[in-house]
Amino acid sequence: MRCPGVSTLSGESLVSYLLRLGHRLGLSPLHLIRAADWIKQGSNPNHFPGSLLLDLPKPQAEAFAWLTGQTAREVSALTLAQWRDRYPPIARPCPDQGA
């Protein structure tokens, strides 16, 4: 499944983008998350790790980018990782980008 592109808004978060895209397509955000294969095999199909909203690993960013017609960089810019230097609680759960 590939979704028609919906442009991101300046300063938009991944959550609001999922809500807007889901609304436009008549799908739940969880359906989009499943389509991007963010839910691990064998785990609860109605739950995904909230850590993905903080920072998307490259495979998940690429999968969502393909799904939405964006680049992985555009998708990663929707996460909270960009704020880790200014807001320490975000930095704790995020893996080190340099590793």
Side-chain angles (χ1 to χ4, degrees):
M1 169 177 114
R2 224 166 162 187
C3 303
V6 172
S7 298
T8 58
L9 303 174
S10 177
E12 186 167 34
S13 71
L14 185 55
V15 172
S16 67
Y17 183 76
L18 283 165
L19 289 169
R20 277 191 326 108
L21 181 61
H23 176 74
R24 178 175 229 177
L25 299 174
L27 301 170
S28 72
L30 187 58
H31 184 89
L32 296 170
I33 288 167
R34 286 184 192 135
D37 202 27
W38 289 2
I39 299 175
K40 292 181 182 175
Q41 200 83 349
S43 65
N44 182 343
N46 296 316
H47 180 267
F48 75 99
S51 61
L52 294 178
L53 301 175
L54 296 174
D55 194 19
L56 277 175
K58 189 175 180 178
Q60 283 86 351
E62 289 174 346
F64 196 69
W66 179 87
L67 182 72
T68 60
Q70 297 182 5
T71 66
R73 181 175 290 226
E74 289 171 321
V75 170
S76 293
L78 296 170
T79 68
L80 297 176
Q82 63 183 317
W83 299 104
R84 76 175 81 199
D85 293 338
R86 295 184 189 136
Y87 189 65
I90 293 172
R92 281 194 288 269
C94 290
D96 183 17
Q97 291 288 69

